[in-house]
Amino acid sequence: MSDSPLASFLLPEGFARPSLTAVLRESSVVTEAGRYAVRAGEERRIRRARPYTGRSAGRAVEPVILVPGFMAGDGSLALMARTLRTRGFRTYRSHIHANVGCTLNAAAQLESRLEAIATRRGSRVQVVGHSLGGMIARGVAVRRPDLVSGIVTLGSPMLAPAAHHATLTWSVEGLVRLSRAGVPGLMSEECVGGTCARQSFEESRQPLAGDVGFTAIYSKRDGIVDWRACIDPLAVAVEVTTSHCGMAFDPLVVDHVAAALRRQIDAGQVQLKSA
């Protein structure tokens, strides 16, 4: 759209917004929710069959914080957090109630939260970010490798943030109009088309420190963003067959998230021993 507030640099050549009908692929979220319910029931039965002393999984070394996507809050990743905890990960919420504000402000909030968790646990933190949450995590990891040991992104179009479905574009435009009308705490024109947007985009494209792990999970069934924009060349790319929304709880995706977190922990420990 020529009158869209989104800056052209957020949609580089080679990427495209999903078609209007692409969103129909998101209907598989019903199947993915069912898959979660079945898996959760199976895991409960297995835990109950074990002796009480053997029910807890070994605790992972590093804490994990989960960051929600655009227009979502921590509740959107609650099911994933619950599953990760049963597998021994100590999870934390981002304290983002609705990811609709300035991206730089959200990054500053996440950075502050990471500082608090790192101080409390005495270690760096791994970050799992869904969609926009992954892009925010990518930028913070660039600035603060002293706080972040690894990131896992889920359907995060880092290479082309504006390569998203028209419904998201309309939502962004609505937030900008409300911000222009004086509603505080929402994305403004600067956030999506000015220096603020450029800074966020450029930070998310800078290289990460060598000891910061990076896994990018993407799906060619994604009906919300261009899956090609989710494959950062610096990341370990993992393909799943899940809808964009379903990535937040599909147990098959959570399996990959848990494996990536463990792999990044192991890689960090190897680097420490060889240092």
Side-chain angles (χ1 to χ4, degrees):
M1 298 179 187
S2 59
D3 59 346
S4 172
L6 291 165
S8 59
F9 62 79
L10 297 178
L11 186 61
E13 187 175 350
F15 301 98
R17 295 186 174 93
S19 66
L20 289 175
T21 57
V23 75
L24 296 176
R25 294 197 292 268
E26 292 296 301
S27 62
S28 66
V29 72
V30 176
T31 301
E32 292 143 14
R35 202 150 52 208
Y36 175 86
V38 170
R39 174 76 71 86
E42 291 173 349
E43 291 181 346
R44 277 196 300 271
R45 286 192 293 273
I46 291 171
R47 284 198 303 275
R48 289 170 180 168
R50 291 176 184 161
Y52 182 77
T53 55
R55 290 183 183 179
S56 297
R59 181 70 68 184
V61 176
E62 297 169 345
V64 178
I65 187 169
L66 289 82
V67 187
F70 177 57
M71 298 190 77
D74 285 325
S76 67
L77 293 171
L79 297 179
M80 177 177 288
R82 180 184 302 171
T83 304
L84 290 176
R85 285 195 297 274
T86 66
R87 300 186 187 186
F89 294 97
R90 191 186 299 274
T91 65
Y92 290 84
R93 292 173 293 177
S94 67
H95 290 174
I96 294 176
H97 303 298
N99 204 346
V100 295
C102 171
T103 303
L104 290 182
N105 288 345
Q109 179 180 340
L110 176 60
E111 189 173 330
S112 177
R113 180 76 170 129
L114 286 166
E115 287 177 341
I117 296 170
T119 299
R120 179 179 178 183
R121 305 307 329 169
S123 71
R124 295 193 297 171
V125 185
Q126 295 213 70
V127 187
V128 177
H130 183 214
S131 198
L132 176 59
M135 291 187 281
I136 293 171
R138 175 79 166 78
V140 172
V142 167
R143 289 200 311 276
R144 298 299 304 271
D146 59 313
L147 297 175
V148 179
S149 61
I151 59 175
V152 180
T153 59
L154 307 170
S156 302
M158 293 158 288
L159 306 185
H164 53 238
H165 195 270
T167 53
L168 261 67
T169 303
W170 299 334
S171 298
V172 169
E173 291 173 350
L175 291 174
V176 169
R177 284 195 294 270
L178 289 171
S179 176
R180 195 183 299 140
V183 179
L186 302 180
M187 289 182 177
S188 67
E189 290 173 288
E190 274 294 299
C191 298
V192 300
T195 55
C196 177
R198 185 172 290 280
Q199 181 180 339
S200 295
F201 179 55
E202 290 178 350
E203 281 185 351
S204 71
R205 301 304 319 121
Q206 293 176 21
L208 294 166
D211 64 345
V212 177
F214 185 10
T215 301
I217 296 177
Y218 70 97
S219 173
K220 292 181 181 178
R221 283 190 52 80
D222 198 314
I224 302 298
V225 304
D226 184 344
W227 63 268
R228 298 170 300 174
C230 302
I231 308 176
D232 192 303
L234 299 180
V236 175
V238 176
E239 182 180 355
V240 296
T241 54
T242 307
S243 67
H244 184 83
C245 296
M247 286 188 194
F249 52 79
D250 186 341
L252 301 181
V253 174
V254 181
D255 289 344
H256 286 294
V257 171
L261 293 171
R262 293 283 184 187
R263 182 176 64 249
Q264 291 172 177
I265 289 173
D266 292 343
Q269 292 175 340
V270 168
Q271 288 182 344
L272 280 175
K273 290 176 181 178
S274 61

